[in-house]
């Protein structure tokens, strides 16, 4: 490990997602045979004190109350942005301009146009980028995609995708940046994950027809009053894929009782897959090729047959956790930086998803289909 | 039982659905304390021989190769129609004109207009009618509806309904009456069930936006050639309910691996329900009122607490079967004939569902929302 | 049907199990192509009034307050005993002596010796007999047994069986005949089912080691006092099968929350089966012959491939109910009476199960293995 | 973090379990607010080269081909033993003699007597010890134990525990140290986990009656021949707990299809719990106190309400993985070293489990109950 080149991280933001990234770096470093030695170089947050405190608890060598310090530090190779969404664009563009690789939590920016601007800047600068769509890093999703590509389901005919949670179900849950008309809403927050999974599995979506609904139209403003909410609490869409399949996708943050219903069902001519993130170490597979009277959905449990599970654990059935998915995401990105393999979800891909989110929103407003071909 | 008035049945059709009705009459007669003694009076089918054979195997006193014999027989009180869909209207109108109660399998007719004509005729004649939507007769659906009405879920916000099977998944499965442009398709055959369940639970749908897709565009014509298929293989719709909730509903007959995915999820402000017909003796209930750290979807198993389960079985966990649902449907109808309780699903309600099917199809063609208020 | 010989039933007992039998006769008559026309001839109960009332509600031609009337009636072909356990032996022996076929609810008698006496009498008289072990009539159990016999699991190595419910979990639930030291207890009531299923699937048990526990040692006596309970509330046993497999079996009637946990797991060299009566229209099958990375337990749903499901329903996924299992039991017995196929569970088989129950109880008392070879 | 005292680790063994420990140290360090800064000081393995290689890939500062170097290094505070079982005792005793804390994978030694000797030595030396029973560190097990202690299930009546996998199901899987008569077998390897979970939840077991079976009596010896196997492939036991409950426990390593069936069911007077490690982020809870008609097993999903889940993830439903359980184990031990809280599973507790394993084996040999009171 000591002979490997160093990849020095500058992390902006020490809140929960910042911590999750640090967990991910620590695990990725141990579990994978990475082409770089990861160094937690500097952490930035709003004030010197907060940053200094975070550097101690999270294990960074230095800290700063000004994120621009990290951008201008020639030692830092990768800027990791977990600051509030409103700052993503400015920070990422500055990092790109400084020639650094950028890892940014979703959404890239509040508007798809801004996200595309960021993607274009990264391309021009030749830096590597990554947006955090961690659910895609599950070995069982990779298995699902491989099975689809290999043809184990035959020709794909239809798709159903959902991402539902209930963290905004309570009308007394206050107005936050997630309710900001620019970039907020269940569709942007959760539908983006469902869209990413759909395209990951079946390839590009070609057209959409959206249906966005605001259920809770005002929320406490934190000052004893109420503030109007314009963003969607739940959104549905019909979709068509380039491969000819049709489907539906839903997102809701008011699905009482649901904590992580990131689910999909894929139906092909000769097989089908069912998945729920609620039990994300399983994939259920039906094959019409099984013998009559013995057919049924098989509960495949994650194991060493499903890369990269085996790096975490030698035996099947032990299960990965959410933070392990983040470690896989980081490992994939780090490998892409060294030229091993493609960027798993770069800014271009992230901008694509945000574009889809905007398209669904527009389609819902018009009540009509919209072409979203890439 | 001997003192009860007789309800003499004239059954048209001795195919599988005819048999299922006979099973249902036999079971209903034994399990329920019915206001009538049910008498299997006459059975009709295409020829005298077929009918005579059926009368022996199914236990009817008489038989006929001409269904009109039953209509004109003054002894017969109830005409039960399980003949092919194309004959439903003519038979039902004749029975109504003869002053008989009518029990007709779905769909009532190929076009919604015809179904409404039948409903109006029945109303004018003052006879009792019933359309076969047997899934609604499940005690767990009744429980779900009661819980929703009582407010155990709070205010209802969203709904997801599905009816998916795979009996038309094979492109070599031949063209049948189910592929007839007049009244055929997955939406008419299965979507009608999903729509009936949605309105049963949440009340009237007020508007729809449909998305119907033909996946297999020709099928074997039985003569060595191919015949074009115009009906949908799968349909999706967005819906709005009068009560303010929004939802989505799907129907597919090409969902490889699915045998009976008649499912729903209902989300309210303080609770939720999940149901699948694949395990139709269970209802899963989440209550936000449960103690923190102890919340979760509860798997309620059908039992004597859930009417009319207790008439079939004194103990919970024993489970009803599909044919039992048919017996409940029949018992409810027979009671309605004697004036006990409302008709569970009369021709008016059946015509309503067919109207919705047509509306979804039209909406899909236009790619736009349609008002479907009753 | 009219040309078939009549099989005239004399039913003793009009309580719930009596009703269940009547439901079963009605369904069996319609669903199966039986070699006899079943005639509900006479019903007997404790008094003339109760019996007369039952004859009307259940559809018998005659009734009697004295069960001996049925025995001596030369018109009656089959005596069906659903009276309290204490009367089973006397009634069955009388019926056998009169040359009648006998259908008796389990347990045959309170002591295994009595049950063997009944079995021997039936054999000498050449009459057909049946004991009610209805869970065995599930098409999915038949499928499981066939798969085991054909070798789809390879060589069978181990077995786990359970029958747990909670109807005696409440210490305030009063003392009944089920608590009678002669023949009572969870082992006799529920363990007998678990033992029957184990031998149905894997063949004869050769030795047992039991562990019976009385948890609630007194119960209300119905007169304001308490009565000591000596029978077991739960029993466990280790078993060896003639085929070399080992296993464990449990029975409990105090398993809070369980309504019908009649479960088993069978492990062979190359495959396994998992079943729960809580979802008895499913059988879960693992085959080591499946491709690596695609293995998993398959949820096989009951359908027409699994006899005799197809007689109830043409399509898979519709599901049988508990009362349908009773109808299958009756159909199998009626066919055995006419010489088609073996008696599914005759008095000999019933006595065998009761012998096993006694053996387990004795083994538990001694805390030692007991040979139970047939 | 920099102000905290250092806890310098000397790890013996760089195989898979060694790696898992390193993953665990890395994660524990980041996720928990530990009282020490963990330093990966030295790693030892069979040769200098292997150790040097491991030090680079796993991030240790130094390495050695001789584990005794670590024992004698005064800088090292904690010896972590993941070497083959046969070396555990010697290594641990040496470490204890050197005054170091010891973390040792299970089993402590091949014989229970040796394990007790180790436990006694640790006690005399006043060092802290830990045995790796990682399943116990699951927040859902802690929840289960807390619910039982608080009385949410009422009085506990019965228990069923299982640990079944299939990694030895293939008779061609060769003879290894796990088949060594001294300390090998399914009972020692997996039954120990099931016993640990049982005592963790319900408290001490007071007596056992075992049933151990060798199914595959010879295995390839790696030299083209066969070697006799004397250890058990599966074991079952009846148990009694000090609290009056009775139960059964099973272990199997030939349960074809099972990858991680570490399951339990606990039944109390007013509630019950069901758990399976196959879905270890869930706990199923039945409460008889729920309203009639609404009772059922609730699927509680792991979340921040269940310590220490919230340190890994702020939202419920995200799920922990197996390696996270290891991190919790390590964090608990590190806290115990600093005096915060008790040792979660010290050598005494580990010796207790091994004693139980021996007792079950002896009991099986005798076919009789054995007192195992602590």
């Amino acid at each position: 490990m000591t002979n490997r080149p160093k990849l020095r991280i500058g992390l902006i933001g020490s809140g929960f997602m910042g911590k999750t990234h640090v967990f991910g770096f620590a695990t990725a470093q141990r579990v994978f045979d990475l082409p770089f030695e990861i160094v937690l170089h500097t952490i930035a947050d709003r004030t010197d004190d907060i940053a200094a405190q975070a550097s101690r608890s999270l294990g960074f060598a230095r800290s700063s109350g000004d994120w621009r310090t990290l951008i201008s530090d020639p030692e830092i190779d990768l800027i990791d942005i977990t600051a509030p969404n409103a700052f993503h664009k400015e920070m990422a563009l500055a990092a790109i301009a400084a020639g650094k690789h950028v890892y940014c939590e979703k959404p890239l920016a509040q508007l798809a146009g801004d996200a595309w601007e960021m993607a274009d800047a990264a391309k021009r600068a030749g830096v590597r980028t990554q947006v955090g769509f961690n659910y895609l890093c599950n070995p069982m999703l990779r298995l699902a995609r491989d099975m689809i590509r290999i043809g184990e389901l035959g020709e794909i005919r239809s798709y159903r995708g959902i991402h539902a949670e209930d963290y905004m179900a309570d009308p007394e849950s206050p107005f936050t940046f997630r309710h900001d008309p620019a970039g907020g809403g269940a569709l942007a927050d959760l539908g983006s994950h469902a869209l990413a999974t759909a395209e990951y599995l079946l390839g590009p979506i070609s057209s959409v027809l959206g249906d966005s609904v605001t259920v809770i139209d005002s929320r406490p403003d934190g000052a004893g009053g109420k503030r109007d909410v314009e963003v969607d609490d739940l959104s549905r869409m019909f979709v068509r894929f380039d491969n000819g399949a049709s489907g539906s996708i839903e997102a809701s943050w008011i699905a009482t009782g649901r904590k992580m219903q990131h689910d999909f069902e894929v139906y092909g001519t000769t097989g089908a897959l069912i998945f729920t993130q609620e039990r994300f170490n399983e994939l259920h597979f039906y094959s019409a090729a099984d013998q009559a009277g013995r057919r049924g959905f098989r509960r495949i449990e994650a194991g060493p047959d499903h890369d990269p599970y085996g790096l975490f654990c030698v035996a099947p059935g032990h299960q990965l956790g959410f933070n392990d998915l983040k470690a896989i995401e980081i490992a994939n990105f780090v490998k892409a930086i060294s030229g091993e393999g493609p960027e798993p979800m770069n800014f271009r891909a992230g901008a694509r998803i945000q574009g889809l989110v905007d398209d669904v929103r527009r389609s819902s407003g018009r009540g009509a289909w919209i072409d979203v071909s890439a």
Side-chain angles (χ1 to χ4, degrees), chain A:
Chain A
M1 199 153 77
T2 44
N3 297 331
R4 297 175 200 188
K6 289 184 160 64
L7 186 73
R8 286 154 303 196
I9 311 296
L11 173 64
I12 310 178
S14 68
F16 198 79
M17 196 43 84
K19 270 190 206 166
T20 302
H21 282 220
V22 171
F23 300 167
F25 283 118
T27 300
Q29 173 94 313
R30 299 298 178 206
V31 171
F32 291 86
D33 185 23
L34 295 182
F36 293 102
E37 177 189 359
I38 289 171
V39 177
L40 299 183
H41 191 280
T42 311
I43 188 166
D45 210 312
R46 274 165 305 148
T47 70
D48 284 348
D49 279 359
I50 294 175
Q53 165 82 17
S55 77
R56 280 189 300 274
S57 71
L58 295 175
F60 282 80
R62 306 185 207 168
S63 66
S64 169
D66 178 7
W67 61 268
R68 293 183 185 279
T69 315
L70 281 61
I71 305 294
S72 58
D73 187 335
E75 287 195 350
I76 291 177
D77 305 299
L78 184 158
I79 295 290
D80 182 1
I81 305 170
T82 68
N85 298 351
F87 299 100
H88 288 183
K89 184 184 175 188
E90 184 185 6
M91 290 170 174
L93 288 178
I96 291 165
K100 299 187 190 307
H101 305 297
V102 189
Y103 180 18
C104 184
E105 267 308 304
K106 65 168 271 284
L108 280 181
Q110 287 170 297
L111 302 173
D114 291 329
W116 281 113
E117 192 183 329
M118 293 157 75
D120 290 343
K123 196 181 177 189
R124 280 195 307 273
V127 299
R128 296 290 179 161
T129 55
Q130 165 104 330
V131 197
F133 278 93
N134 32 265
Y135 302 117
L136 303 181
C137 299
N138 181 352
M140 300 319 268
L141 253 77
R142 183 165 156 183
L143 172 63
R145 187 180 60 173
D146 289 349
M147 292 175 77
I148 291 168
R149 286 192 180 166
I150 293 166
E152 295 189 46
L153 278 58
E155 230 171 280
I156 303 306
R157 286 167 164 177
S158 72
Y159 182 82
R160 189 184 307 138
I162 295 169
H163 193 124
E165 304 192 21
D166 69 358
Y167 57 90
M168 292 294 180
D170 183 354
E172 296 309 311
S173 173
F175 194 101
T176 69
F177 72 91
R178 295 194 190 280
H179 302 98
D180 187 330
L187 175 61
D189 198 26
L190 302 182
S192 52
H193 283 295
L195 283 159
T197 294
E199 292 210 328
Y200 176 82
L201 293 170
L202 268 66
I205 292 172
S206 54
S207 58
V208 297
L209 173 44
D211 177 27
S212 289
V213 181
T214 304
V215 173
I216 300 168
D217 53 14
S218 71
R219 288 182 179 271
D221 62 5
K226 286 281 192 174
R227 186 160 164 192
D228 286 351
V229 175
E230 293 167 34
V231 301
D232 66 303
D233 289 308
L234 57 86
S235 282
R236 304 172 183 93
M237 67 201 83
F238 304 140
V239 298
R240 294 289 182 278
F241 294 88
D242 278 0
N243 71 3
S246 67
S248 70
I249 295 174
E250 278 190 52
S252 172
W253 61 20
I254 57 167
T256 301
R258 291 294 191 179
K259 308 306 170 191
M260 186 50 74
Q261 191 188 18
H262 181 87
D263 297 1
F264 63 79
E265 303 190 10
V266 187
Y267 295 97
T269 46
T270 60
L273 293 175
I274 303 177
F275 172 84
T276 174
Q277 186 76 18
E278 292 182 352
R279 288 164 172 174
F280 76 80
N281 284 277
E282 303 175 9
L283 181 66
H284 296 250
F285 169 44
Y286 181 94
S287 172
D290 285 343
Q291 184 193 349
R294 303 292 183 273
R295 291 181 197 124
F297 278 92
R298 279 181 224 175
R299 182 166 67 91
I300 303 173
E301 294 180 86
D305 289 324
H306 314 115
D307 278 337
Y309 176 101
L311 295 176
F312 288 84
C313 220
V314 281
H318 284 65
Q319 302 188 22
L320 302 189
F322 177 79
N323 288 343
D324 295 326
L325 304 188
K326 208 74 197 169
I328 296 173
E329 181 176 86
I330 286 170
N332 290 344
F333 184 40
V334 169
K335 288 184 201 163
I337 288 174
S338 83
E340 299 174 28
E343 293 154 299
M345 191 79 189
N346 63 16
F347 278 16
R348 223 178 149 64
R352 159 74 182 163
I353 297 298
Q354 278 192 254
L356 286 174
V357 164
D358 282 2
D359 291 337
V360 172
R361 204 184 281 122
R362 273 189 305 128
S363 164
S364 174
R366 293 186 202 166
W369 285 90
I370 283 186
D371 185 309
V372 298
S373 305

